[in-house]
Amino acid sequence: MNDSYLNFVNSPFGARLARSLGLPKPEVLRRYRADQPEFDGLIAIGAGREPHLLDALANLVTSIGVTSVAHESAGLWVPLANRHGLMTGRFEPAESGSHGKLTALLFDASGIEDSSQLEPLHGFFHDTLRSLGKCGRIIVLGRPPEACATPRQWTAQRALEGLTRSLGKEARRGITANLVYVEQGAENGIEATLRFFLSPRSAYVSGQVVRIGVRDGADALPAFDWNQALAGRRAVVTGAARGIGASIASVLAAQGAHVIGIDIPSARDALDSTMRQLNGTALAFDIAAPEAPAQIAAALDEQGVDIVVHNAGITKDKTIAKMTDAAWQSVIDINLSAQERIDDALLAAGILRDGGRIVAVSSISGIAGNLGQTNYATSKAGVIGRVQSMAPHLRARGITINAVAPGFIETQMTAKIPLTIREAGRRMNSMSQGGQPVDVAQTIAWLAHPGSAGVSGQIVRVCGQSLIGA
Ligand SMILES: NC(=O)c1ccc[n+]([C@@H]2O[C@H](COP(=O)([O-])OP(=O)(O)OC[C@H]3O[C@@H](n4cnc5c(N)ncnc54)[C@H](O)[C@@H]3O)[C@@H](O)[C@H]2O)c1
């Protein structure tokens, strides 16, 4: 769908008019394109006391081939970078007057154990934020508060959330800010997540807190190529005929997966056409039909599957006093219960292989609730419960389960919303615009990545840091 306001204020005349009238000017977000470098420019590294993640960061910087500068808070970075043969220098605040010198700011706060040690965060972002260019990236790294040894350490690590979310709201200009908590021992498993948060693939993901845990068989990540990370993998995507589902199918296929797209029989033509373009397989099933789990299991049985994306969903909005029993029941059944039945069938028969990935599509309505959406918000909150409750049970099999919670995404579903409510949904976030289906799809591709083995039980909002439910 088209955001005409964003297009207008980014035209030469519209930009002048917006400036003179003081109107907000949403940035045209930089999104991933295969014909443009994914990582470039200069990143500034800062650190608190005794940072534990600098070695892992050095591996990352080497692997993605960017140049780094050390802020004075990260004095340890310079010898480390020299040891790794990385080009580095020191960040000089005095030289930083102009916007746009830096493409990312990374701060290792993992060693902070007390609130009195938080000051280097102020020093680093005070000095560097104005030098961060449009659509730049901010990543703060810490330790999961709940795993901290002392209440003071827990307190200081929890404080990082307030900082990161505020940076996202202050930075604007298409800049994202996210917090990654790395469990002790999970240092080798951070690259896929940091690549995602540094990349234009995460254009509409901001203000999020993600935890990376120790995976079972810590050093046994399967080999993969970063450019074709899903090569040789099979992925099921429900609701794949159009909208977000079609985009998920396309992004997974672009990373090498064979996609099996499922949609209702009445969407067969659109599904066939989407799958044909991707060399995928089309299955016309209603996922809520009683026989669907067995049919899907039978269709996948021979070769099994590595990735299951539960995307199909519907809305039947009415205030609860006016909502029919059928409208309640169909939304719960398609958006939530069908997922449970399908996963049960695939897991019981071992069709979803060990080391597999389940990603479900929730919604910020499931986090915040929404007027006229008691059925929908119930189903989407249930999806969150499913992810959180199943993650520990699937761990021994190396299977991860996560959810994305989209905010306002430009699709046929949101095109149906009345104009004034639609405009509010679009603008009430740090990016002042709606997201695109590809933003949800790229986030799912990160969660489905072989390198995301330590990311499980997480709910990641794809909402441009929406104020709703924040
Ligand atoms: N668009 C948004 O802003 C937004 C926000 C939050 C969450 N979501 C969620 O994202 C997902 C995709 O939404 P969308 O905007 O692309 O919607 P959409 O209506 O454009 O697409 C949904 C797809 O699911 C299919 N589907 C519906 N019922 C099915 C069934 N019983 N069996 C098989 N397929 C079925 C539809 O035919 C359709 O192809 C949904 O779960 C939705 O709740 C969307």
Side-chain angles (χ1 to χ4, degrees):
M1 301 304 119
N2 206 0
D3 182 344
S4 12
Y5 179 76
L6 180 141
N7 295 337
F8 176 68
V9 293
N10 281 290
S11 68
F13 170 69
R16 272 200 311 277
L17 189 69
R19 221 175 6 256
S20 62
L21 296 178
L23 297 174
K25 184 172 169 294
E27 199 69 48
V28 176
L29 300 183
R30 186 180 163 220
R31 292 190 165 86
Y32 173 77
R33 287 180 45 165
D35 60 352
Q36 290 179 354
E38 187 167 1
F39 307 104
D40 56 10
L42 188 63
I43 64 173
I45 309 269
R49 66 176 286 286
E50 295 183 24
H52 302 295
L53 300 167
L54 289 185
D55 276 309
L57 288 184
N59 289 335
L60 170 81
V61 170
T62 312
S63 167
I64 63 177
V66 293
T67 309
S68 67
V69 281
H71 180 256
E72 62 176 12
S73 62
L76 289 172
W77 179 254
V78 178
L80 182 76
N82 287 340
R83 213 164 52 241
H84 282 261
L86 299 172
M87 293 240 302
T88 195
R90 288 188 184 274
F91 178 79
E92 299 296 343
E95 292 171 14
S96 65
S98 62
H99 276 301
K101 215 171 136 191
L102 301 170
T103 51
L105 310 178
L106 293 185
F107 191 95
D108 181 354
S110 59
I112 294 180
E113 292 184 343
D114 190 284
S115 59
S116 62
Q117 298 162 359
L118 290 165
E119 201 287 326
L121 286 151
H122 166 256
F124 176 69
F125 289 108
H126 171 271
D127 291 350
T128 56
L129 192 57
R130 271 180 292 185
S131 298
L132 185 59
K134 285 180 185 177
C135 302
R137 295 286 182 264
I138 297 170
I139 305 176
V140 178
L141 294 139
R143 292 294 196 200
E146 60 283 2
C148 286
T150 67
R152 288 205 165 204
Q153 191 183 3
W154 179 321
T155 302
Q157 289 294 324
R158 178 64 179 76
L160 301 176
E161 268 199 47
L163 169 87
T164 312
R165 293 189 203 273
S166 302
L167 287 171
K169 290 182 177 175
E170 263 181 41
R172 315 295 292 186
R173 296 184 288 128
I175 292 168
T176 65
N178 293 288
L179 171 60
V180 179
Y181 284 129
V182 182
E183 195 185 335
Q184 204 167 346
E187 291 77 8
N188 291 336
I190 69 176
E191 184 167 346
T193 297
L194 295 193
R195 275 178 174 252
F196 172 69
F197 282 123
L198 281 175
S199 155
R201 295 179 195 269
S202 58
Y204 201 60
V205 182
S206 191
Q208 298 309 291
V209 181
V210 168
R211 286 165 167 74
I212 304 179
V214 178
R215 56 185 186 268
D216 286 350
D219 290 318
L221 263 192
F224 58 84
D225 170 355
W226 286 107
N227 296 315
Q228 280 284 289
L230 302 180
R233 289 182 161 69
R234 285 160 56 83
V236 167
V237 180
T238 68
R242 66 176 204 191
I244 295 172
S247 187
I248 298 166
S250 148
V251 168
L252 297 183
Q255 297 195 17
H258 177 86
V259 177
I260 299 117
I262 301 179
D263 213 299
I264 43 175
S266 60
R268 167 123 235 176
D269 287 350
L271 181 68
D272 282 347
S273 138
T274 309
M275 289 303 126
R276 211 174 306 117
Q277 287 165 36
L278 307 175
N279 287 326
T281 306
L283 296 179
F285 293 138
D286 174 350
I287 56 162
E291 62 282 8
Q295 283 178 327
I296 295 169
L300 296 172
D301 190 19
E302 249 169 51
Q303 290 173 274
V305 68
D306 307 283
I307 299 160
V308 178
V309 183
H310 294 290
N311 161 76
I314 59 165
T315 50
K316 291 210 170 157
D317 296 356
K318 279 268 186 291
T319 52
I320 198 157
K322 293 185 185 156
M323 188 181 290
T324 62
D325 188 45
W328 170 273
Q329 198 47 47
S330 59
V331 168
I332 302 290
D333 204 35
I334 292 172
N335 294 5
L336 179 59
S337 309
Q339 295 188 13
E340 298 182 290
R341 293 192 294 265
I342 292 169
D343 281 351
D344 283 353
L346 299 185
L347 287 165
I351 295 167
L352 176 59
R353 287 196 271 263
D354 288 1
R357 303 274 182 270
I358 302 173
V359 189
V361 179
S362 176
S363 163
I364 57 169
S365 290
I367 295 170
N370 202 9
L371 191 154
Q373 289 200 315
T374 47
N375 51 356
Y376 184 74
T378 302
S379 71
K380 296 297 188 179
V383 166
I384 293 173
R386 218 166 78 72
V387 162
Q388 291 172 334
S389 60
M390 283 181 69
H393 294 291
L394 297 175
R395 191 185 155 122
R397 290 175 60 179
I399 296 173
T400 67
I401 178 166
N402 294 287
V404 293
F408 184 98
I409 306 295
E410 306 279 356
T411 65
Q412 292 185 33
M413 190 183 259
T414 46
K416 288 189 298 194
I417 300 172
L419 180 69
T420 43
I421 304 176
R422 188 164 74 227
E423 257 319 277
R426 263 190 187 132
R427 306 291 164 218
M428 282 170 55
N429 58 72
S430 295
M431 305 289 162
S432 304
Q433 61 193 283
Q436 297 293 331
V438 71
D439 298 326
V440 181
Q442 292 286 7
T443 309
I444 288 174
W446 153 55
L447 294 167
H449 196 283
S452 298
V455 183
S456 194
Q458 311 284 300
I459 314 303
V460 183
R461 294 167 51 140
V462 185
C463 65
Q465 198 177 22
S466 171
L467 295 177
I468 298 167

